Coordinates of all heavy atoms in Angstrom, one line a residue:
M1185 N 0.8 -1.2 0.0 CA 0.0 0.0 0.0 C 0.9 1.2 0.0 O 1.9 1.3 0.7 CB -0.9 0.0 1.2 CG -1.8 1.1 1.3 SD -3.2 0.9 2.4 CE -2.7 2.0 3.7
K1186 N 0.5 2.2 -0.8 CA 1.3 3.5 -0.9 C 1.0 4.3 0.4 O -0.1 4.4 0.9 CB 0.8 4.3 -2.1 CG 1.5 3.9 -3.4 CD 1.0 4.8 -4.4 CE 1.9 4.7 -5.7 NZ 1.5 5.7 -6.7
R1187 N 2.1 5.0 0.8 CA 2.0 5.9 1.9 C 1.5 7.2 1.3 O 2.0 7.7 0.3 CB 3.3 6.1 2.7 CG 3.6 4.9 3.4 CD 4.8 5.1 4.3 NE 5.7 6.1 3.9 CZ 6.7 6.7 4.6 NH1 6.8 6.2 5.9 NH2 7.4 7.6 4.2
R1188 N 0.6 7.9 2.0 CA 0.2 9.3 1.6 C 1.0 10.3 2.4 O 1.0 10.2 3.6 CB -1.3 9.4 1.7 CG -2.1 8.5 0.9 CD -3.6 8.6 1.1 NE -3.9 8.5 2.5 CZ -5.1 8.9 3.0 NH1 -6.0 9.3 2.2 NH2 -5.3 8.8 4.2
I1189 N 1.7 11.2 1.7 CA 2.5 12.1 2.3 C 1.9 13.5 2.2 O 1.5 13.9 1.2 CB 3.9 12.2 1.7 CG1 4.6 10.8 1.8 CG2 4.8 13.2 2.4 CD1 4.8 10.2 3.2
C1190 N 1.9 14.3 3.3 CA 1.4 15.6 3.4 C 2.2 16.5 2.5 O 3.4 16.6 2.5 CB 1.4 16.2 4.8 SG 0.8 17.9 5.0
S1191 N 1.5 17.3 1.6 CA 2.2 18.2 0.7 C 2.8 19.4 1.3 O 3.6 20.1 0.7 CB 1.3 18.6 -0.4 OG 1.0 17.5 -1.2
Y1192 N 2.5 19.6 2.6 CA 3.1 20.8 3.3 C 4.1 20.3 4.3 O 5.3 20.7 4.3 CB 2.1 21.7 3.9 CG 2.7 22.9 4.6 CD1 3.3 23.9 3.9 CD2 2.7 22.9 6.0 CE1 3.9 24.9 4.5 CE2 3.4 24.0 6.6 CZ 4.0 25.0 5.9 OH 4.6 26.0 6.5
D1193 N 3.7 19.5 5.3 CA 4.6 19.0 6.4 C 5.5 17.9 6.0 O 6.4 17.5 6.7 CB 3.8 18.5 7.6 CG 3.4 19.7 8.5 OD1 3.9 20.8 8.3 OD2 2.6 19.5 9.4
M1194 N 5.2 17.2 4.9 CA 6.0 16.1 4.4 C 6.1 14.9 5.3 O 7.1 14.3 5.5 CB 7.4 16.6 4.0 CG 7.4 17.7 2.9 SD 6.6 17.3 1.4 CE 7.6 16.1 0.7
V1195 N 5.0 14.6 6.0 CA 4.9 13.5 6.9 C 3.7 12.7 6.4 O 2.9 13.1 5.7 CB 4.7 13.9 8.4 CG1 5.9 14.7 8.9 CG2 3.4 14.7 8.6
E1196 N 3.7 11.4 6.9 CA 2.5 10.5 6.5 C 1.2 11.1 7.1 O 1.2 11.5 8.2 CB 2.8 9.1 7.0 CG 1.8 8.1 6.5 CD 2.2 6.7 6.8 OE1 3.2 6.5 7.4 OE2 1.4 5.8 6.4
V1197 N 0.2 11.2 6.2 CA -1.1 11.7 6.7 C -1.9 10.6 7.3 O -1.9 9.5 6.9 CB -1.8 12.4 5.5 CG1 -1.1 13.5 4.9 CG2 -2.2 11.4 4.4
P1198 N -2.7 11.0 8.3 CA -3.7 10.1 8.9 C -4.8 9.8 7.9 O -5.0 10.5 6.9 CB -4.1 10.8 10.2 CG -4.0 12.2 9.9 CD -2.8 12.3 8.9
D1199 N -5.7 8.8 8.3 CA -6.8 8.5 7.4 C -7.8 9.7 7.4 O -8.5 10.0 6.4 CB -7.6 7.3 8.0 CG -6.8 6.0 7.7 OD1 -6.0 6.0 6.7 OD2 -7.0 5.1 8.4
E1200 N -7.9 10.5 8.5 CA -8.7 11.6 8.6 C -8.0 12.9 8.2 O -7.6 13.7 9.0 CB -9.2 11.9 10.1 CG -10.0 10.7 10.6 CD -9.1 9.6 11.2 OE1 -8.0 9.9 11.6 OE2 -9.5 8.5 11.2
S1201 N -7.7 13.0 6.9 CA -7.0 14.1 6.3 C -7.8 14.9 5.3 O -8.9 14.5 5.0 CB -5.7 13.6 5.7 OG -6.0 12.7 4.6
Y1202 N -7.2 15.9 4.8 CA -7.8 16.7 3.7 C -7.2 16.2 2.4 O -6.0 16.0 2.3 CB -7.5 18.2 3.9 CG -8.2 18.8 5.1 CD1 -7.7 18.7 6.4 CD2 -9.5 19.4 5.0 CE1 -8.3 19.3 7.5 CE2 -10.1 19.9 6.1 CZ -9.6 19.8 7.3 OH -10.2 20.4 8.4
V1203 N -8.0 16.1 1.4 CA -7.5 15.7 0.1 C -8.0 16.7 -1.0 O -9.2 16.9 -1.1 CB -8.0 14.3 -0.3 CG1 -7.4 13.9 -1.7 CG2 -7.6 13.3 0.7
V1204 N -7.1 17.4 -1.7 CA -7.5 18.3 -2.7 C -7.3 17.6 -4.1 O -6.2 17.0 -4.3 CB -6.6 19.6 -2.7 CG1 -7.0 20.5 -3.8 CG2 -6.7 20.3 -1.4
T1205 N -8.3 17.6 -4.9 CA -8.3 16.9 -6.2 C -8.5 17.9 -7.3 O -9.5 18.8 -7.2 CB -9.4 15.8 -6.3 OG1 -9.2 15.0 -5.1 CG2 -9.3 15.0 -7.5
D1206 N -7.7 17.9 -8.3 CA -7.9 18.7 -9.5 C -7.8 17.7 -10.8 O -7.9 16.5 -10.6 CB -7.0 19.8 -9.6 CG -5.5 19.4 -9.7 OD1 -5.2 18.2 -9.9 OD2 -4.6 20.3 -9.6
D1207 N -7.7 18.3 -11.9 CA -7.6 17.5 -13.2 C -6.4 16.6 -13.2 O -6.4 15.6 -13.9 CB -7.6 18.5 -14.4 CG -8.9 19.3 -14.5 OD1 -9.9 18.8 -13.9 OD2 -8.9 20.3 -15.2
I1208 N -5.4 17.0 -12.5 CA -4.1 16.2 -12.6 C -4.0 15.1 -11.6 O -3.5 14.1 -11.8 CB -2.9 17.2 -12.4 CG1 -3.0 18.2 -13.6 CG2 -1.6 16.5 -12.4 CD1 -2.0 19.4 -13.4
G1209 N -4.5 15.3 -10.4 CA -4.4 14.3 -9.3 C -4.8 14.8 -8.0 O -5.7 15.7 -7.9
E1210 N -4.2 14.2 -6.9 CA -4.6 14.5 -5.6 C -3.5 15.0 -4.8 O -2.3 14.6 -5.0 CB -5.1 13.2 -4.9 CG -6.4 12.6 -5.5 CD -6.9 11.4 -4.8 OE1 -6.0 10.6 -4.2 OE2 -8.1 11.1 -4.8
I1211 N -3.8 15.8 -3.8 CA -2.8 16.4 -2.9 C -3.3 16.1 -1.5 O -4.5 16.3 -1.2 CB -2.6 17.9 -3.1 CG1 -2.0 18.1 -4.5 CG2 -1.8 18.5 -2.0 CD1 -1.8 19.5 -4.9
Y1212 N -2.5 15.5 -0.6 CA -2.9 15.1 0.7 C -2.3 16.1 1.7 O -1.2 16.5 1.6 CB -2.4 13.7 1.1 CG -2.9 12.7 0.1 CD1 -2.1 12.3 -1.0 CD2 -4.1 12.1 0.3 CE1 -2.5 11.3 -1.9 CE2 -4.6 11.2 -0.6 CZ -3.8 10.8 -1.7 OH -4.2 9.8 -2.6
L1213 N -3.2 16.5 2.7 CA -2.7 17.5 3.7 C -3.2 17.0 5.1 O -4.4 16.6 5.2 CB -3.3 18.9 3.4 CG -2.8 19.4 2.0 CD1 -3.8 20.1 1.3 CD2 -1.5 20.2 2.3
C1214 N -2.3 17.0 6.1 CA -2.5 16.5 7.4 C -3.8 17.0 8.1 O -4.5 16.3 8.7 CB -1.3 16.7 8.3 SG 0.1 15.8 7.8
D1215 N -3.8 18.4 8.2 CA -4.8 19.0 9.0 C -5.2 20.4 8.4 O -4.7 20.8 7.3 CB -4.3 19.1 10.4 CG -2.9 19.8 10.5 OD1 -2.6 20.7 9.7 OD2 -2.2 19.4 11.4
S1216 N -6.0 21.1 9.1 CA -6.5 22.4 8.6 C -5.4 23.4 8.5 O -5.4 24.3 7.6 CB -7.6 22.9 9.5 OG -7.2 23.1 10.8
R1217 N -4.4 23.3 9.4 CA -3.2 24.2 9.3 C -2.5 24.0 8.0 O -2.1 24.9 7.2 CB -2.3 24.1 10.5 CG -1.1 24.9 10.4 CD -0.1 24.6 11.5 NE 0.4 23.2 11.4 CZ 1.5 22.8 10.6 NH1 2.1 23.7 9.9 NH2 1.8 21.6 10.6
C1218 N -2.1 22.8 7.7 CA -1.4 22.4 6.5 C -2.2 22.9 5.2 O -1.7 23.4 4.3 CB -1.1 20.9 6.4 SG 0.1 20.4 7.6
L1219 N -3.5 22.6 5.2 CA -4.4 23.0 4.1 C -4.3 24.5 3.9 O -4.2 25.0 2.8 CB -5.8 22.5 4.3 CG -6.9 23.0 3.4 CD1 -6.6 22.5 1.9 CD2 -8.3 22.6 3.8
C1220 N -4.5 25.2 5.0 CA -4.5 26.7 4.9 C -3.2 27.2 4.3 O -3.2 28.0 3.4 CB -4.8 27.3 6.3 SG -4.7 29.1 6.3
V1221 N -2.1 26.8 4.9 CA -0.8 27.4 4.5 C -0.5 27.0 3.0 O -0.1 27.8 2.2 CB 0.4 26.9 5.4 CG1 1.7 27.3 4.9 CG2 0.2 27.4 6.8
W1222 N -0.8 25.7 2.7 CA -0.5 25.2 1.3 C -1.4 26.0 0.3 O -0.9 26.5 -0.7 CB -0.8 23.7 1.2 CG -0.7 23.2 -0.2 CD1 0.4 22.8 -0.8 CD2 -1.8 23.1 -1.2 NE1 0.1 22.5 -2.1 CE2 -1.2 22.6 -2.4 CE3 -3.1 23.4 -1.1 CZ2 -2.0 22.4 -3.5 CZ3 -3.9 23.2 -2.3 CH2 -3.3 22.7 -3.4
A1223 N -2.7 26.2 0.6 CA -3.6 26.9 -0.3 C -3.3 28.3 -0.5 O -3.3 28.9 -1.6 CB -5.1 26.7 0.1
V1224 N -3.0 29.0 0.6 CA -2.6 30.4 0.6 C -1.3 30.6 -0.2 O -1.2 31.5 -1.0 CB -2.6 31.1 2.0 CG1 -2.0 32.5 1.9 CG2 -4.0 31.1 2.6
L1225 N -0.3 29.8 0.1 CA 1.0 29.9 -0.7 C 0.8 29.7 -2.2 O 1.3 30.5 -3.0 CB 2.0 28.9 -0.2 CG 2.6 29.1 1.2 CD1 3.5 28.0 1.6 CD2 3.5 30.4 1.1
L1226 N -0.1 28.8 -2.5 CA -0.3 28.5 -4.0 C -1.1 29.7 -4.6 O -0.7 30.2 -5.6 CB -1.1 27.2 -4.2 CG -1.3 26.9 -5.6 CD1 0.0 26.7 -6.4 CD2 -2.1 25.6 -5.7
A1227 N -2.2 30.1 -3.9 CA -3.0 31.2 -4.4 C -2.3 32.5 -4.6 O -2.6 33.3 -5.4 CB -4.3 31.4 -3.5
T1228 N -1.3 32.8 -3.7 CA -0.6 34.1 -3.8 C 0.8 34.0 -4.4 O 1.6 34.9 -4.4 CB -0.4 34.6 -2.3 OG1 0.4 33.7 -1.6 CG2 -1.7 34.9 -1.7
K1229 N 1.1 32.8 -5.0 CA 2.4 32.6 -5.7 C 2.5 33.6 -6.9 O 1.6 33.6 -7.8 CB 2.5 31.2 -6.2 CG 3.8 30.8 -6.8 CD 3.8 29.4 -7.1 CE 5.2 29.0 -7.7 NZ 5.3 27.6 -8.1
P1230 N 3.6 34.3 -6.9 CA 3.8 35.2 -8.1 C 3.9 34.4 -9.4 O 4.5 33.3 -9.4 CB 5.1 35.9 -7.7 CG 5.4 35.7 -6.3 CD 4.7 34.4 -5.9
N1231 N 3.4 35.0 -10.4 CA 3.5 34.4 -11.7 C 2.9 33.0 -11.8 O 3.3 32.2 -12.7 CB 5.0 34.3 -12.2 CG 5.6 35.7 -12.2 OD1 5.0 36.7 -12.6 ND2 6.8 35.7 -11.8
L1232 N 1.9 32.7 -11.0 CA 1.2 31.4 -11.1 C 0.4 31.4 -12.4 O -0.2 32.3 -12.8 CB 0.2 31.3 -9.9 CG -0.5 29.9 -9.8 CD1 0.4 28.8 -9.6 CD2 -1.6 30.0 -8.7
D1233 N 0.5 30.3 -13.1 CA -0.1 30.1 -14.4 C -1.6 30.4 -14.2 O -2.3 29.9 -13.3 CB 0.1 28.7 -14.9 CG -0.4 28.5 -16.3 OD1 -1.5 28.8 -16.6 OD2 0.4 28.0 -17.1
E1234 N -2.2 31.1 -15.1 CA -3.6 31.5 -15.1 C -4.5 30.2 -15.1 O -5.6 30.2 -14.5 CB -4.0 32.4 -16.3 CG -5.3 33.1 -16.1 CD -5.3 34.1 -15.0 OE1 -4.3 34.7 -14.6 OE2 -6.4 34.3 -14.4
K1235 N -4.1 29.2 -15.8 CA -4.8 28.0 -15.9 C -5.0 27.3 -14.5 O -6.0 26.9 -14.1 CB -4.2 27.0 -16.8 CG -5.0 25.7 -17.0 CD -4.3 24.8 -18.0 CE -5.1 23.5 -18.1 NZ -4.4 22.5 -18.9
I1236 N -3.9 27.4 -13.7 CA -4.0 26.9 -12.3 C -4.8 27.8 -11.4 O -5.6 27.3 -10.6 CB -2.5 26.7 -11.7 CG1 -1.8 25.7 -12.5 CG2 -2.6 26.3 -10.3 CD1 -0.3 25.6 -12.2
K1237 N -4.7 29.1 -11.6 CA -5.5 30.0 -10.8 C -7.0 29.8 -11.0 O -7.8 30.0 -10.0 CB -5.2 31.5 -11.2 CG -3.9 32.0 -10.6 CD -3.8 33.4 -11.0 CE -2.4 34.0 -10.6 NZ -2.3 35.4 -11.0
T1238 N -7.4 29.5 -12.2 CA -8.8 29.4 -12.5 C -9.4 28.0 -12.6 O -10.6 27.9 -12.9 CB -9.1 30.2 -13.8 OG1 -8.3 29.6 -14.8 CG2 -8.7 31.7 -13.7
Q1239 N -8.7 27.0 -12.3 CA -9.2 25.7 -12.4 C -10.0 25.3 -11.1 O -9.7 25.8 -10.0 CB -8.1 24.6 -12.6 CG -7.3 24.4 -11.4 CD -6.2 23.3 -11.7 OE1 -6.2 22.7 -12.7 NE2 -5.4 23.1 -10.7
A1240 N -11.0 24.5 -11.3 CA -11.9 24.1 -10.2 C -11.1 23.0 -9.4 O -10.4 22.2 -10.0 CB -13.2 23.6 -10.7
V1241 N -11.3 23.0 -8.1 CA -10.7 21.9 -7.3 C -11.8 21.4 -6.3 O -12.7 22.1 -5.9 CB -9.5 22.5 -6.5 CG1 -8.3 22.8 -7.4 CG2 -9.8 23.6 -5.6
T1242 N -11.6 20.2 -5.9 CA -12.5 19.6 -5.0 C -11.8 19.2 -3.7 O -10.7 18.7 -3.8 CB -13.2 18.3 -5.6 OG1 -13.9 18.6 -6.8 CG2 -14.1 17.6 -4.6
L1243 N -12.3 19.6 -2.6 CA -11.7 19.3 -1.3 C -12.6 18.2 -0.6 O -13.8 18.4 -0.5 CB -11.7 20.6 -0.5 CG -11.3 20.4 1.0 CD1 -9.8 20.0 1.1 CD2 -11.5 21.7 1.8
R1244 N -11.9 17.1 -0.2 CA -12.5 16.1 0.6 C -12.1 16.3 2.1 O -10.9 16.3 2.4 CB -12.2 14.7 0.2 CG -13.1 13.7 0.9 CD -12.8 12.3 0.4 NE -11.5 11.8 0.9 CZ -10.7 11.1 0.1 NH1 -11.0 10.8 -1.1 NH2 -9.5 10.8 0.6
L1245 N -13.1 16.6 2.9 CA -12.8 16.8 4.3 C -12.6 15.5 5.1 O -12.9 14.4 4.6 CB -14.0 17.5 5.0 CG -14.4 18.8 4.3 CD1 -15.7 19.4 4.9 CD2 -13.3 19.9 4.4
P1246 N -12.0 15.6 6.3 CA -11.8 14.4 7.1 C -13.0 13.5 7.3 O -12.9 12.3 7.4 CB -11.2 14.9 8.4 CG -10.6 16.2 8.0 CD -11.4 16.8 6.9
N1247 N -14.2 14.2 7.3 CA -15.5 13.4 7.5 C -16.0 12.9 6.2 O -17.1 12.4 6.1 CB -16.5 14.3 8.2 CG -16.9 15.4 7.4 OD1 -16.6 15.6 6.2 ND2 -17.8 16.3 8.0
R1248 N -15.2 13.0 5.1 CA -15.5 12.5 3.8 C -16.5 13.4 3.0 O -16.9 13.1 1.9 CB -16.1 11.0 3.8 CG -15.2 10.0 4.5 CD -13.9 9.8 3.6 NE -13.1 8.8 4.2 CZ -11.8 8.8 4.3 NH1 -11.2 9.8 3.9 NH2 -11.1 7.8 4.8
E1249 N -16.9 14.5 3.6 CA -17.7 15.4 2.8 C -16.9 16.1 1.8 O -15.7 16.3 2.0 CB -18.3 16.5 3.8 CG -19.1 17.6 3.2 CD -19.5 18.7 4.1 OE1 -19.3 18.5 5.4 OE2 -20.0 19.7 3.7
E1250 N -17.5 16.4 0.6 CA -16.7 17.1 -0.5 C -17.3 18.4 -0.8 O -18.5 18.6 -0.8 CB -16.8 16.2 -1.7 CG -16.0 14.9 -1.6 CD -15.8 14.2 -2.9 OE1 -16.4 14.6 -4.0 OE2 -15.1 13.2 -2.9
I1251 N -16.4 19.4 -1.0 CA -16.7 20.7 -1.4 C -16.0 21.1 -2.6 O -14.8 20.8 -2.7 CB -16.3 21.8 -0.3 CG1 -16.9 21.4 1.1 CG2 -16.7 23.2 -0.7 CD1 -16.4 22.2 2.2
T1252 N -16.6 21.7 -3.6 CA -16.0 22.1 -4.9 C -15.8 23.6 -4.9 O -16.8 24.3 -4.6 CB -16.8 21.6 -6.1 OG1 -16.9 20.2 -6.0 CG2 -16.1 22.0 -7.4
F1253 N -14.6 24.0 -5.3 CA -14.3 25.5 -5.4 C -14.0 25.8 -6.8 O -13.3 25.0 -7.5 CB -13.1 25.8 -4.5 CG -13.4 25.6 -3.1 CD1 -13.0 24.4 -2.5 CD2 -14.0 26.5 -2.3 CE1 -13.2 24.1 -1.1 CE2 -14.2 26.3 -0.9 CZ -13.8 25.1 -0.4
D1254 N -14.5 26.9 -7.3 CA -14.2 27.4 -8.7 C -12.8 27.7 -9.0 O -12.3 27.6 -10.1 CB -15.1 28.5 -9.1 CG -16.6 28.2 -9.1 OD1 -16.9 27.0 -9.3 OD2 -17.4 29.1 -8.9
T1255 N -12.1 28.2 -7.9 CA -10.7 28.6 -8.1 C -9.9 28.2 -6.9 O -10.4 28.0 -5.8 CB -10.6 30.2 -8.3 OG1 -11.1 30.8 -7.0 CG2 -11.4 30.7 -9.4
I1256 N -8.6 28.3 -7.0 CA -7.7 28.0 -5.9 C -7.8 29.1 -4.8 O -7.7 28.9 -3.6 CB -6.2 27.8 -6.4 CG1 -5.4 27.2 -5.2 CG2 -5.6 29.1 -6.8 CD1 -5.7 25.8 -4.9
S1257 N -8.2 30.3 -5.3 CA -8.4 31.4 -4.3 C -9.6 31.2 -3.4 O -9.6 31.5 -2.2 CB -8.6 32.8 -5.0 OG -7.4 33.1 -5.7
G1258 N -10.6 30.6 -4.0 CA -11.8 30.2 -3.2 C -11.5 29.2 -2.2 O -11.9 29.3 -1.0
L1259 N -10.6 28.2 -2.5 CA -10.2 27.2 -1.6 C -9.4 27.9 -0.5 O -9.5 27.6 0.7 CB -9.4 26.1 -2.3 CG -8.7 25.1 -1.4 CD1 -9.6 24.4 -0.5 CD2 -7.8 24.2 -2.2
A1260 N -8.5 28.8 -0.9 CA -7.6 29.5 0.1 C -8.4 30.3 1.1 O -8.1 30.2 2.3 CB -6.6 30.4 -0.6
L1261 N -9.4 31.0 0.6 CA -10.3 31.7 1.5 C -11.0 30.8 2.5 O -11.1 31.1 3.7 CB -11.3 32.6 0.7 CG -10.7 33.7 0.0 CD1 -11.8 34.3 -1.0 CD2 -10.3 34.8 1.0
W1262 N -11.6 29.7 2.0 CA -12.3 28.8 2.9 C -11.3 28.2 3.9 O -11.6 28.0 5.1 CB -13.0 27.7 2.0 CG -13.8 26.7 2.9 CD1 -15.1 26.8 3.2 CD2 -13.3 25.6 3.5 NE1 -15.4 25.8 4.0 CE2 -14.4 25.0 4.2 CE3 -12.0 24.9 3.6 CZ2 -14.2 23.8 5.0 CZ3 -11.9 23.8 4.3 CH2 -13.0 23.2 5.0
A1263 N -10.2 27.8 3.4 CA -9.2 27.1 4.3 C -8.7 28.0 5.4 O -8.5 27.6 6.5 CB -8.0 26.6 3.5
T1264 N -8.5 29.3 5.1 CA -8.1 30.3 6.1 C -9.2 30.4 7.2 O -8.9 30.3 8.4 CB -7.8 31.6 5.5 OG1 -6.8 31.5 4.5 CG2 -7.4 32.6 6.5
S1265 N -10.4 30.6 6.7 CA -11.5 30.7 7.7 C -11.7 29.4 8.5 O -11.9 29.5 9.8 CB -12.8 31.0 6.9 OG -13.9 30.9 7.8
N1266 N -11.6 28.3 7.9 CA -11.7 27.0 8.6 C -10.5 26.8 9.6 O -10.8 26.4 10.8 CB -11.6 25.8 7.6 CG -11.8 24.5 8.2 OD1 -12.8 24.2 8.9 ND2 -10.8 23.6 8.0
A1267 N -9.3 27.2 9.3 CA -8.2 27.0 10.2 C -8.3 28.0 11.4 O -8.0 27.6 12.5 CB -6.9 27.2 9.4
L1268 N -8.7 29.2 11.1 CA -8.9 30.2 12.2 C -10.0 29.7 13.1 O -9.9 29.9 14.3 CB -9.1 31.6 11.6 CG -7.9 32.2 10.9 CD1 -8.3 33.5 10.3 CD2 -6.8 32.4 11.9
H1269 N -11.1 29.2 12.6 CA -12.2 28.8 13.4 C -11.8 27.6 14.3 O -12.1 27.6 15.5 CB -13.4 28.4 12.5 CG -14.5 27.8 13.3 ND1 -15.3 28.5 14.1 CD2 -15.0 26.5 13.4 CE1 -16.2 27.7 14.7 NE2 -16.0 26.5 14.2
R1270 N -11.0 26.7 13.8 CA -10.5 25.5 14.5 C -9.6 26.0 15.6 O -9.5 25.4 16.7 CB -9.8 24.5 13.6 CG -10.8 23.8 12.8 CD -10.2 22.7 12.0 NE -11.1 22.0 11.1 CZ -11.9 21.0 11.5 NH1 -11.8 20.6 12.7 NH2 -12.7 20.4 10.7
A1271 N -8.8 27.0 15.4 CA -7.8 27.5 16.3 C -8.6 28.1 17.6 O -8.0 28.1 18.7 CB -6.9 28.6 15.7
E1272 N -9.7 28.7 17.3 CA -10.5 29.3 18.4 C -11.1 28.2 19.4 O -11.4 28.4 20.5 CB -11.7 30.1 17.9 CG -11.2 31.3 17.2 CD -12.4 32.1 16.5 OE1 -13.5 31.6 16.6 OE2 -12.1 33.1 15.8
S1273 N -11.3 27.0 18.8 CA -12.0 25.9 19.6 C -11.1 25.4 20.7 O -10.0 25.4 20.7 CB -12.4 24.8 18.7 OG -13.2 25.2 17.7

């Protein structure tokens, strides 16, 4: 079985992780912090290809619920709000 590695922390992800899917493949992220930092870094990356900026992505939450975003910026906004809300808890 393949190990799933977090695209931000570079450690093995637990079963209850975040998975971002686009036309190319899947990206695994350990928790809401990793998702937030990864998404914001990508969305604010200078000279990011317009195709990547405007492609739709699907996020699978740890509870297996799926949310689709029209752009990576939409994902970054949601991830920031989600991470901050979790930090308050």
Side-chain angles (χ1 to χ4, degrees):
M1185 183 164 105
K1186 277 186 166 181
R1187 291 186 338 163
R1188 298 180 305 165
I1189 303 298
C1190 178
S1191 291
Y1192 181 71
D1193 274 349
M1194 302 305 289
V1195 297
E1196 190 169 359
V1197 298
D1199 289 336
E1200 300 82 28
S1201 63
Y1202 291 87
V1203 181
V1204 178
T1205 307
D1206 63 11
D1207 296 338
I1208 299 171
E1210 295 180 333
I1211 295 178
Y1212 301 98
L1213 298 141
C1214 293
D1215 52 33
S1216 60
R1217 178 190 61 86
C1218 290
L1219 171 63
C1220 175
V1221 174
W1222 176 85
V1224 170
L1225 284 172
L1226 183 60
T1228 60
K1229 185 176 180 179
N1231 303 320
L1232 183 65
D1233 188 308
E1234 195 66 31
K1235 183 178 178 184
I1236 295 172
K1237 284 184 185 179
T1238 58
Q1239 73 179 354
V1241 294
T1242 300
L1243 172 65
R1244 188 176 72 221
L1245 305 173
N1247 66 4
R1248 304 291 187 221
E1249 179 185 347
E1250 290 189 355
I1251 305 171
T1252 300
F1253 298 93
D1254 293 334
T1255 64
I1256 194 68
S1257 294
L1259 171 61
L1261 288 169
W1262 183 91
T1264 302
S1265 175
N1266 182 58
L1268 290 173
H1269 175 69
R1270 288 185 181 274
E1272 292 173 3
S1273 299

